[in-house]
Amino acid sequence: MSGGLPQVFADWFAARGWAPREHQLALLRKAEAEEDVLLIAPTGAGKTLAGFLPSLISLAQPRRENLRHGRLHTLYISPLKALTVDIERNLEIPIAEMRLGIRVETRTSDTSPSKRQRQRRDPPDILLTTPEQMALLLASPDARFLFADLKRVIVDELHAIAGSKRGDLLCLDLARLRAIAPRMQATGLSATVRDPAELRRWLVGQDGAAKAPHQSALVVAPSGAPPDLSILDTKEHLPWAGHMTRHAFAEVYERIKAAHLTLVFVNTRALAEFAFQELWRINDDKLPIALHHGSLNVGQRRKVEAAMAEGRVKAVVCTSTLDLGVDWGDVDLVINLGAPKGASRLMQRIGRANHRLDEPSRAILVPSNRFEVLECRAAVDAVHAGAQDTAVARRGALDVLCQHILGMACAESFSDDELYREVISAKPYSDIAREEFEAALAFVAHGGYALSSYERFAKIKRQKDGRWRIVNQKLAQTYRMNVGTIVEDDMLKVRLVQGKTSETGSSYTGPLRRGGRVLGEIEEYFLETLAPKDTFLFGGEVLALRGIVEDEALVSRSRADAPKIPSYNGGKFPLSTHLAKRVRELLSNPEEWRTLPEALVEWLALQKQRSMLPPANDLLVETFPYGTQHHLVVYPFEGRLAHQTLGMLLTRRLERAGLKPLGFTANDYALGIRGLADLGREIKAKRLRLDDLFSEDMLGDDLEAWLQESALMKRSFRACAIVSGMIERNFFDRRKTGRQVTISTDLIYDVLRRHEPDHILLRAARAEASNGLLDLPRLAAMLSRVKGRLRHKALERVSPLAVPVLLEINREPVYGEAREAVLAEAAEDLLREAGVD
């Protein structure tokens, strides 16, 4: 041994000019003591090597005679398929150089069926996989054989998994692993975390009889060099609204030219397509610029990843598919188009540059509009202060529990008492009552009281021995085809067909023949808005739709110059609570404006003169006329979801008061309500009391009445029905369409509301809507914070700060240059009205 390492490992470190870091040695000591451990380490600190080092050393030792070859030793779980590929590549280097003879393999949805079957019969020493594949393995009859000798499980990027439904399912699966392999050690790896205690509790098994929650050991690596983080001070006119960042692409291109390899991060797939196309449009130097997002064909994504690793690209425009621990080549610059929406997410993305602990990572933020400048400034300050905003603690979702129960029945029979003890050992479910567990069990057994007469909902049954078993193996096969917690919209494959494009580039000639390569997938609802010959951007190309055949959109290449951009549901990050607070504090304190662009300072100063600045802890309410309507604008800075819910509830109250609201507009920063009544006059005359309008009781009867009328609860129920296994989408010979799923779930929802209003899936849907689509906890906290602290300004015309909000009213979802022109024209009218030069 040398410095705590076996000689072969010490020699390998020395040959590279390295020395093991203290946190890497600390994880070795924790492994020797058979302790579960959470490692918090910055990018470039050798976090992944630290996690695997105990396993590599253990596997390199001469095998004991009583330990059979071909048994799984270490299971590595990553939230991203790309990360498993990267880790495999990085692990193979030391294994080969030290001639350790250790087998490492990946297992994701991209792995061939034959390889997956072989892995169950003859597993590698180290298996790199995802939460969904782990759930599949545990639902197989040979799960006990596969995991019986498991020594270690490593959960990477733990903060990105734990606070979600994927984390709920993974934590339940870890509980099952502990039941199969009681001496298994768990190692969590995280680069960014707000509250280490949350993750330490999540990582280990809980005991309801214990006085305090169990938690893992903790190792914290020293911080690295502070990042070199800046905001682009554009020379172009900074837009008032919009999210496409079109004004800055020339400046972004120049920074790409000056760097070695740049990752250009965006928050949505739509912006990724648009940004890639715009950069290629001005790419006079023919720089190799690539595109990477989750809807592209896996083969195309792997080509881009290989090109990055080999240094064959100059820049990659990407979404969150590359913002976790992947180390692709010599990235020396990160550019984030648009506001980051959270300090932790920004720090994660910054970490993709440099990957060396003692040198700063370099990143540039590019705001899309004026409000985003404030958010970017707040994010930069948060990063420099080391502040985190990653939320983890949550109560486990009931629909996920239902899926897990069915999965365990697919693997083997179980006793309800044994499974309940196992479930409550998982931290998200540690406080679930036996009654709730029994309700979940009853749902899997027969669908619940109201559905118990329908045979199709009976999936498990109790045998004479009292144990529960799957009804038949066909149900087990269907379960395996639908496992997971990510509910996506209907997707159609985008297939390139053979033929010729017309000279104008706007149409396609020749017979319609399938047989070209698949470029990726797009949501069906977007493609249904297109007519044949319409063009759109996808995979960095302009494509013309030829037709839709079964589950494929057949397309040809086009030279059209005004393509549409696919819009995608999901992927829109909300403004984090922590960052929202920093934006309010920045906005309310003119002394903090010294780092803001001059145009922005002038805008805020004019707001202060014409109205007032939104106070950090109060709520500014402005009323003013514009055109033929009257407007009420508030500035909570609590994110789009909370603002949309607030808008729904306020318009209901105004309607009930006879004040004729016409609608509302919400963004991450503000909410605007327009109507026919002069709300400012009503407030002044005290016929409308702001304290009553914004009272917390709107989250009671008003919320319930709205939920009963809206389609939102049905949408939440639909997602829960899919996750729970009530409705299967994938079958061997077909996939249910979105319409088929909607019809089925809507009918069941209506039946349950009438006959079993306390059904477990209705409870799950309500919880999902509250915490996700409605963001009720955040709205409730805001209403509590501003109680008695409402500041009304009755204005004679539009305030400067309200201009971006009003620009979003009644704007059609136009993209690209057309959208910028529409916004610019509307902005001129509003600015004249607001008196802004």
Side-chain angles (χ1 to χ4, degrees):
M1 298 285 284
S2 176
L5 292 176
Q7 194 60 49
V8 65
F9 285 84
D11 292 344
W12 181 78
F13 271 89
R16 290 184 158 241
W18 296 350
R21 295 191 169 108
E22 174 54 34
H23 59 275
Q24 294 171 330
L25 296 175
L27 256 63
L28 276 178
R29 293 191 292 270
K30 298 298 181 185
E32 291 169 0
E34 299 185 352
E35 291 186 69
D36 301 314
V37 61
L38 170 66
L39 171 63
I40 298 175
T43 299
K47 177 173 82 271
T48 303
L49 181 58
F52 279 102
L53 203 52
S55 295
L56 296 178
I57 291 174
S58 175
L59 286 164
Q61 303 301 315
R63 297 178 186 267
R64 299 190 303 275
E65 291 184 3
N66 65 344
L67 178 62
R68 289 178 292 168
H69 288 262
R71 302 302 291 267
L72 183 62
H73 180 283
T74 295
L75 182 67
Y76 166 88
I77 302 163
S78 157
L80 291 179
K81 290 183 289 187
L83 189 49
T84 65
V85 175
D86 180 51
I87 296 300
E88 181 184 32
R89 177 168 53 87
N90 289 338
L91 275 180
E92 291 290 0
I93 295 171
I95 288 171
E97 291 178 351
M98 288 186 278
R99 300 180 181 178
L100 300 179
I102 297 171
R103 271 176 61 202
V104 179
E105 294 181 3
T106 61
R107 181 188 178 98
T108 70
S109 59
D110 297 331
T111 305
S112 67
S114 60
K115 184 176 181 180
R116 277 185 268 173
Q117 289 178 5
R118 194 262 302 154
Q119 287 173 340
R120 287 166 55 187
R121 297 191 310 269
D122 179 25
D125 299 303
I126 299 175
L127 183 63
L128 316 174
T129 191
T130 60
E132 290 74 25
Q133 287 297 315
M134 180 178 166
L136 279 172
L137 288 171
L138 283 169
S140 65
D142 50 9
R144 287 192 180 272
F145 166 81
L146 180 62
F147 295 113
D149 292 322
L150 186 68
K151 297 295 184 292
R152 182 167 294 104
V153 60
I154 301 170
V155 184
D156 204 353
E157 306 294 349
L158 181 54
H159 67 283
I161 305 177
S164 66
K165 283 190 176 183
R166 290 181 87 196
D168 294 343
L169 185 59
L170 177 56
C171 202
L172 288 168
D173 287 337
L174 289 176
R176 170 48 59 102
L177 279 181
R178 282 189 288 267
I180 295 174
R183 298 190 64 182
M184 175 199 81
Q185 298 170 38
T187 299
L189 306 178
S190 180
T192 54
V193 64
R194 184 186 65 182
D195 182 359
E198 290 182 337
L199 293 185
R200 293 172 70 187
R201 292 189 290 267
W202 187 96
L203 194 60
V204 301
Q206 299 298 317
D207 180 358
K211 293 182 179 180
H214 293 177
Q215 58 184 18
S216 71
L218 176 66
V219 173
V220 180
S223 301
D228 177 3
L229 180 58
S230 61
I231 301 174
L232 179 69
D233 187 6
T234 181
K235 296 179 176 62
E236 304 296 326
H237 173 74
L238 189 62
W240 291 90
H243 300 280
M244 304 308 283
T245 328
R246 191 175 187 276
H247 68 283
F249 282 118
E251 294 165 298
V252 168
Y253 181 74
E254 290 301 316
R255 281 153 179 79
I256 290 173
K257 285 172 58 177
H260 176 71
L261 173 56
T262 302
L263 290 183
V264 181
F265 279 108
V266 297
N267 290 338
T268 66
R269 287 170 285 175
L271 182 53
E273 292 283 354
F274 178 73
F276 178 77
Q277 192 71 15
E278 286 298 295
L279 288 172
W280 265 104
R281 188 176 62 82
I282 60 176
N283 188 9
D284 297 332
D285 299 280
K286 306 300 180 186
L287 302 178
I289 300 173
L291 175 66
H292 192 288
H293 63 69
S295 290
L296 297 178
N297 178 265
V298 62
Q300 178 62 26
R301 297 200 305 270
R302 294 295 175 262
K303 287 180 182 178
V304 173
E305 292 159 10
M308 291 173 65
E310 297 165 11
R312 293 187 283 109
V313 290
K314 187 74 171 173
V316 178
V317 179
C318 55
T319 59
S320 57
T321 51
L322 292 182
D323 73 359
L324 294 178
V326 184
D327 182 10
W328 300 115
D330 295 325
V331 177
D332 60 341
L333 177 63
V334 164
I335 295 176
N336 199 95
L337 295 184
K341 302 302 172 188
S344 294
R345 180 178 297 108
L346 176 58
M347 292 173 72
Q348 193 76 50
R349 290 181 170 181
I350 293 170
R352 300 309 103 222
N354 195 16
H355 259 267
R356 286 178 286 275
L357 186 63
D358 54 350
E359 297 180 18
S361 299
R362 189 161 64 97
I364 301 172
L365 303 185
V366 184
S368 298
N369 56 58
R370 299 195 174 211
F371 266 128
E372 285 197 355
V373 174
L374 298 172
E375 185 182 335
C376 287
R377 182 72 263 163
V380 169
D381 293 343
V383 168
H384 288 320
Q388 304 286 349
D389 51 20
T390 305
V392 174
R394 57 176 273 131
R395 193 172 191 271
L398 294 174
D399 53 336
V400 175
L401 175 60
C402 294
Q403 181 184 131
H404 179 72
I405 291 173
L406 180 57
M408 295 305 93
C410 292
E412 61 186 24
S413 65
F414 64 81
S415 153
D416 46 7
D417 290 337
E418 291 172 359
L419 186 57
Y420 177 65
R421 285 194 295 271
E422 191 176 293
V423 164
I424 62 174
S425 73
K427 184 61 182 73
Y429 296 90
S430 59
D431 64 347
I432 188 171
R434 182 64 186 248
E435 179 187 3
E436 281 186 296
F437 174 79
E438 294 290 349
L441 190 63
F443 165 76
V444 182
H446 50 68
Y449 167 75
L451 304 175
S452 58
S453 60
Y454 298 91
E455 186 178 344
R456 58 167 293 197
F457 298 116
K459 298 183 178 180
I460 61 175
K461 60 183 177 181
R462 192 194 292 270
Q463 303 294 306
K464 291 180 180 179
D465 60 4
R467 299 179 68 83
W468 293 89
R469 287 176 171 81
I470 193 79
V471 169
N472 56 60
Q473 284 306 306
K474 184 178 179 181
L475 284 171
Q477 292 170 343
T478 304
Y479 164 84
R480 294 183 186 112
M481 295 188 67
N482 291 275
V483 71
T485 63
I486 300 173
V487 179
E488 294 181 335
D489 288 283
D490 267 346
M491 307 290 285
L492 294 182
K493 291 186 178 70
V494 180
R495 186 181 291 276
L496 197 63
V497 296
Q498 300 172 359
K500 296 181 180 180
T501 306
S502 68
E503 292 300 318
T504 63
S506 61
S507 63
Y508 170 94
T509 59
L512 191 62
R513 297 195 301 271
R514 299 172 70 174
R517 65 188 178 93
V518 174
L519 303 179
E521 295 181 322
I522 294 183
E523 270 101 334
E524 183 179 13
Y525 77 88
F526 168 74
L527 290 168
E528 287 178 341
T529 67
L530 304 181
K533 300 183 182 181
D534 280 356
T535 58
F536 62 97
L537 284 178
F538 185 73
E541 298 185 271
V542 179
L543 303 174
L545 180 67
R546 289 288 292 135
I548 295 176
V549 179
E550 296 177 356
D551 63 343
E552 294 188 343
L554 306 183
V555 301
S556 59
R557 291 189 173 93
S558 172
R559 293 190 294 272
D561 57 4
K564 296 181 179 180
I565 302 175
S567 55
Y568 300 88
N569 282 337
K572 297 178 180 179
F573 301 121
L575 177 66
S576 73
T577 302
H578 175 81
L579 211 54
K581 183 174 183 291
R582 283 183 171 267
V583 172
R584 291 196 304 269
E585 291 170 348
L586 170 65
L587 192 59
S588 65
N589 186 4
E591 294 182 4
E592 297 293 326
W593 299 352
R594 58 186 180 278
T595 57
L596 297 177
E598 182 179 351
L600 210 70
V601 172
E602 292 175 354
W603 175 47
L604 298 180
L606 195 59
Q607 170 68 19
K608 183 179 180 182
Q609 175 186 337
R610 299 279 173 81
S611 175
M612 68 178 293
L613 297 169
N617 296 309
D618 299 355
L619 182 64
L620 173 61
V621 181
E622 294 179 332
T623 53
F624 51 79
Y626 176 60
T628 60
Q629 299 174 357
H630 293 270
H631 295 260
L632 180 148
V633 179
V634 295
Y635 304 90
F637 292 90
E638 292 292 351
R640 185 184 301 270
L641 293 178
H643 293 172
Q644 286 176 337
T645 304
L646 179 61
M648 289 285 189
L649 297 174
L650 289 178
T651 50
R652 285 183 65 88
R653 289 193 159 186
L654 292 172
E655 180 68 33
R656 197 162 59 240
L659 296 176
K660 303 176 183 178
L662 298 175
F664 69 89
T665 302
N667 59 26
D668 271 329
Y669 316 105
L671 165 69
I673 297 176
R674 59 193 182 279
L676 298 177
D678 186 343
L679 297 181
R681 184 176 60 195
E682 296 295 316
I683 294 169
K684 275 188 172 181
K686 297 185 178 180
R687 290 188 292 269
L688 176 64
R689 293 177 52 84
L690 284 181
D691 286 339
D692 293 338
L693 185 62
F694 286 87
S695 67
E696 296 172 83
D697 64 7
M698 72 167 64
L699 300 182
D701 292 343
D702 281 343
L703 176 64
E704 290 303 321
W706 172 53
L707 287 177
Q708 297 302 325
E709 297 171 4
S710 76
L712 186 142
M713 278 297 292
K714 286 189 175 180
R715 178 180 169 188
S716 292
F717 181 82
R718 194 174 308 137
C720 292
I722 293 171
V723 170
S724 68
M726 171 182 273
I727 298 294
E728 299 94 355
R729 299 195 68 174
N730 299 313
F731 298 87
F732 280 103
D733 56 347
R734 70 189 191 283
R735 173 181 168 86
K736 277 188 178 180
T737 66
R739 290 188 186 89
Q740 289 172 325
V741 171
T742 298
I743 291 170
S744 298
T745 57
D746 283 0
L747 287 172
I748 296 171
Y749 175 81
D750 291 336
V751 168
L752 294 179
R753 272 192 57 201
R754 286 195 301 269
H755 301 292
E756 194 178 353
D758 195 40
H759 190 277
I760 189 169
L761 279 201
L762 292 181
R763 283 184 268 162
R766 173 59 186 262
E768 173 155 307
S770 297
N771 294 300
L773 299 173
L774 299 177
D775 209 354
L776 288 184
R778 192 163 174 183
L779 177 56
M782 186 276 291
L783 292 173
S784 176
R785 172 174 58 83
V786 302
K787 185 177 181 179
R789 306 178 69 95
L790 299 166
R791 308 283 293 275
H792 176 227
K793 283 288 183 177
L795 308 175
E796 295 181 357
R797 58 181 176 177
V798 178
S799 75
L801 211 60
V803 170
V805 185
L806 268 63
L807 277 173
E808 298 191 26
I809 295 176
N810 290 335
R811 299 296 165 199
E812 294 298 321
V814 182
Y815 293 95
E817 189 171 359
R819 175 176 173 81
E820 301 298 325
V822 168
L823 288 174
E825 181 180 351
E828 289 181 8
D829 294 338
L830 274 169
L831 293 175
R832 281 194 295 270
E833 175 69 20
V836 180
D837 296 330

